[in-house]
């Protein structure tokens, strides 16, 4: 269903049309990338405000937590609201990741993953990787990093 019965009804694009549109498409691609960076920077500002709102108890008017308030006030799913709050607080101790996100250089998805394992000691290394990889790659690295950390902790406990 939803597919045209006759392939001839699907518009065909001529290669000379693509060449003409190429410059416009490149410009559109640049505008998309620029807007995406602005959205990441705005998301960083939102996280800073959420952290401040939480620390100052702005949600403490009958709500169980700032995440619950965020869920109620913005409609964000409660699990996602908790993650936003976790990341907001983690960024307070991670100046390099904070600065990169504030500039729109890395996405919330990458910061969310990195904040699970990042410390002021390792954040520079993680940031370098985040700038070069996709969010999926960053998630894989974080999962492996956490696995290694758990194994090291188990070995330390056995000593």
């Amino acid at each position: 269903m939803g597919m045209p019965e006759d392939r001839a009804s699907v518009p065909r694009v001529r290669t000379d049309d693509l060449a003409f549109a190429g410059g416009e498409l490149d410009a559109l691609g640049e505008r998309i990338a620029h807007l995406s960076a602005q959205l990441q920077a705005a998301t960083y500002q939102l996280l800073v405000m959420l952290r401040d709102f939480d620390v100052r108890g702005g949600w403490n008017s009958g709500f169980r937590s700032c995440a619950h308030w965020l869920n109620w006030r913005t409609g964000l799913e409660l699990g996602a609201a908790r993650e936003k709050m976790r990341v907001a607080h983690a960024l307070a101790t991670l100046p390099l990741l904070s600065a990169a996100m504030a500039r729109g250089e890395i996405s919330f998805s990458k910061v969310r993953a990195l904040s699970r394992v990042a410390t002021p000691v390792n954040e520079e290394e993680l940031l370098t990787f985040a700038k070069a990889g996709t969010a999926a790659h960053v998630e894989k690295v974080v999962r492996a990093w956490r696995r290694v950390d758990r194994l090291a902790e188990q070995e330390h406990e056995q000593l």
Side-chain angles (χ1 to χ4, degrees), residues 1 6 9 18 42 45-46 65 69 94-95 98 104 116 130 138 155:
M1 288 187 102
D6 181 7
S9 66
L18 289 175
Q45 291 302 316
L46 174 65
S65 68
W69 176 88
L94 301 167
S98 291
R116 293 182 191 121
V138 171
E155 285 178 15

Side-chain angles (χ1 to χ4, degrees), residues 111-127:
V111 171
R112 182 185 65 230
L114 292 174
S115 65
R116 293 182 191 121
V117 296
T119 65
V121 173
N122 67 15
E123 75 171 315
E124 185 172 8
E125 178 183 1
L126 291 169
L127 178 57

Side-chain angles (χ1 to χ4, degrees), residues 32-95:
I32 291 168
H34 182 73
L35 182 57
S36 179
Q38 289 177 319
L39 288 171
Q40 300 312 324
T43 299
Y44 173 77
Q45 291 302 316
L46 174 65
L47 294 172
V48 169
M49 287 188 281
L50 284 171
R51 183 175 62 235
D52 185 43
F53 189 74
D54 188 20
V55 168
R56 295 170 62 190
W59 55 271
N60 198 6
S61 57
F63 294 93
R64 293 176 53 189
S65 68
C66 194
H68 283 87
W69 176 88
L70 186 60
N71 164 255
W72 168 79
R73 188 64 178 91
T74 68
L76 190 62
E77 192 270 328
L78 186 56
R82 286 184 178 124
E83 270 297 276
K84 286 246 194 263
M85 297 310 305
R86 183 189 66 74
V87 173
H89 285 284
L91 284 173
T93 64
L94 301 167

